[in-house]
Amino acid sequence: MPETLVKVDLKQSPYDNEKIHNRWHPDVPMACWVKPGDEFVLETYDWTGGYIQNNNSADDVRDVDLTTVHFLSGPVGVKGAEPGDLLVVDLLDVGAKPDSLWGFNGFFSKKNGGGFLTDHFPLAQKSIWDFHGLYTTSRHVPNVRFAGLIHPGLIGCLPDQKMLEMWNKREVDFIATNPTRSPPLANPPFAKTAHAGAATGEAKTKVAAEGARTVPPREHGGNCDIKDLSRGSKIYFPVYVDGAGLSVGDLHFSQGDGEITFCGAIEMAGWVHMKVELIKGGMAKYGIRNPIFKPSPITPTYNDWLIFEGISVDEYGQQHYLDVHVAYRQACLNAIEYLTKFGYSKAQAYAILGTAPVQGHISGVVDIPNACATLWLPTQIFDFDVRPNANGPVKAVTPGIEVPLSPDV
Ligand code: ZN
């Protein structure tokens, strides 16, 4: 195996590991250096740094301090990388930590993070997923089993100071348009829980004060949560600083398009085996502003779907103009309602949409006033026939198992 350049001990706090950081800032020191052509391995924490436990209580999902996330491994410096280059990253393999063969999915409380369907699921809930080689099952969501499409939710290079200032300004200005909203419109820098990697003294203070939070995807990639950016993909990242500074974390065993449950996919601690190369001056040569990637040749072959439509009329009957967000929400709510007819609770159905290899598609964005979005549910993940027929749905789901719920305190 190639050398492991970042090691993670799940019993140690991520704050005590200098090769981990949780803010984007050009002054986060490189955790290690590699040359173009090198292969190496980085181990990672789960995105919360081990806060969420393998148990039957959602109190940890309810109480998690979201200013601490995401704990990233890196940055990896690449010798010879300069602003304007493209960093080519081969995700040669991604896996779970052998001493942690499980993951979690949760819904945040509306008062602490929320999620895509937070108005319908305002309280914290959690499901635990066990890994069996390629496959996963959950004691909280029975009668489904699927192969993982394992991927990093978050990967990207360090911004330069100018880009960082642009991010902070536009997000702070945006928050100011509705500063009391819950959940908030965006997350500004927050010094108290910042982890600046190996930075010390003035640099550490600067990273903490100015470092961009890791929640949104931005021009550099970052927290894109693209399920198809999986092991076997090749990604082309814009480079903004000397050495590029590649960081990765937030590994997912599996995820549905949209990561609609927000906490999140099937979240896990793991490792990434990768190789890096450079295309000098590649950003201008190819006109690249945001990353591009080639998907893996290896993906689970689910090829039979039930496809749920949604339009941009919301669940309260309100018309919206070509709003894909509203349309996808309706498609998801329609799928949840359908799955309850087989015996799933709404929370179990929501967890399936967040974790299974569900596809989301933008189907129409021109037919005024309604956008149309579709949610593709793979039928082969269920151990019963989930398709409609003349006899009506059979209550096939094992009763008596639930997704634990934690009321707000
Ligand atoms: Zn995640």
Side-chain angles (χ1 to χ4, degrees):
M1 273 296 265
E3 198 184 345
T4 299
L5 298 179
V6 174
K7 291 203 168 96
V8 155
D9 174 358
L10 298 179
K11 292 192 274 306
Q12 182 190 38
S13 164
Y15 286 101
D16 296 332
N17 187 329
E18 289 194 344
K19 295 185 175 185
I20 303 291
H21 65 107
N22 68 359
R23 298 291 189 265
W24 291 115
H25 195 292
D27 292 348
V28 178
M30 300 300 177
C32 50
W33 283 89
V34 298
K35 301 184 304 298
D38 282 355
E39 282 185 33
F40 53 93
V41 171
L42 307 180
E43 293 181 348
T44 70
Y45 285 90
D46 81 78
W47 75 301
T48 70
Y51 188 79
I52 307 298
Q53 298 292 307
N54 184 351
N55 59 29
N56 297 326
S57 163
D59 290 359
D60 46 14
V61 170
R62 178 191 63 198
D63 300 335
V64 62
D65 180 355
L66 289 175
T67 69
T68 63
V69 302
H70 301 66
F71 291 103
L72 306 179
S73 299
V76 178
V78 181
K79 288 192 181 132
E82 296 171 293
D85 294 347
L86 287 177
L87 181 66
V88 186
V89 177
D90 270 295
L91 291 181
L92 298 173
D93 206 355
V94 185
K97 286 267 284 177
D99 55 341
S100 184
L101 295 178
W102 63 278
F104 62 89
N105 174 265
F107 323 150
F108 287 125
S109 158
K110 191 175 179 182
K111 292 181 180 157
N112 184 31
F116 189 57
L117 303 180
T118 196
D119 288 339
H120 302 270
F121 298 88
L123 301 177
Q125 293 189 260
K126 178 171 89 176
S127 54
I128 299 295
W129 296 78
D130 293 309
F131 306 150
H132 317 277
L134 277 180
Y135 296 97
T136 186
T137 58
S138 171
R139 61 184 181 263
H140 298 124
V141 185
N143 304 91
V144 284
R145 174 180 184 263
F146 45 87
L149 182 52
I150 303 180
H151 61 276
L154 201 163
I155 182 168
C157 295
L158 293 179
D160 62 13
Q161 188 69 29
K162 196 168 147 228
M163 175 164 271
L164 174 68
E165 284 167 14
M166 174 180 75
W167 292 350
N168 282 340
K169 180 174 182 339
R170 76 184 178 201
E171 289 173 28
V172 168
D173 288 352
F174 188 49
I175 292 166
T177 64
N178 186 355
T180 56
R181 187 179 188 275
S182 177
L185 287 172
N187 298 292
F190 186 76
K192 202 169 145 219
T193 49
H195 183 5
T200 55
E202 240 171 75
K204 187 176 178 179
T205 309
K206 193 166 187 298
V207 170
E210 303 173 352
R213 303 282 292 283
T214 56
V215 174
R218 298 189 183 91
E219 287 84 344
H220 69 149
N223 193 26
C224 289
D225 291 314
I226 303 168
K227 75 179 195 322
D228 303 289
L229 201 153
S230 61
R231 55 183 173 161
S233 301
K234 186 191 276 284
I235 320 168
Y236 302 82
F237 286 107
V239 172
Y240 311 101
V241 301
D242 287 338
L246 177 72
S247 293
V248 64
D250 186 24
L251 301 191
H252 298 159
F253 190 84
S254 178
Q255 181 206 293
D257 279 340
E259 203 191 23
I260 60 173
T261 45
F262 188 26
C263 178
I266 296 176
E267 305 290 333
M268 67 179 196
W271 51 269
V272 184
H273 171 190
M274 55 180 124
K275 178 183 177 182
V276 291
E277 286 166 300
L278 289 173
I279 299 178
K280 296 302 291 178
M283 283 178 74
K285 279 180 189 162
Y286 289 100
I288 285 178
R289 202 165 69 99
N290 297 64
I292 61 174
F293 73 97
K294 276 164 52 65
S296 174
I298 309 281
T299 54
T301 52
Y302 296 108
N303 52 19
D304 186 61
W305 311 88
L306 264 184
I307 300 178
F308 294 85
E309 300 182 7
I311 57 170
S312 56
V313 175
D314 70 24
E315 54 273 49
Y316 313 107
Q318 176 78 35
Q319 178 74 58
H320 296 260
Y321 183 74
L322 298 179
D323 188 328
V324 176
H325 192 266
V326 171
Y328 193 49
R329 191 167 78 230
Q330 303 320 301
C332 293
L333 290 170
N334 290 341
I336 289 170
E337 183 65 24
Y338 181 88
L339 286 172
T340 63
K341 304 304 181 197
F342 296 86
Y344 284 117
S345 69
K346 289 196 173 190
Q348 288 171 327
Y350 188 24
I352 291 170
L353 302 192
T355 57
V358 162
Q359 293 187 18
H361 291 245
I362 297 171
S363 303
V365 287
V366 293
D367 299 311
I368 59 170
N370 284 337
C372 179
T374 48
L375 179 129
W376 299 39
L377 184 68
T379 61
Q380 292 137 316
I381 66 171
F382 298 94
D383 66 9
F384 58 90
D385 189 353
V386 75
R387 296 168 301 178
N389 66 61
N391 297 324
V394 176
K395 294 262 183 207
V397 175
T398 311
I401 304 171
E402 243 309 352
V403 177
L405 176 142
S406 286
D408 287 332
V409 285

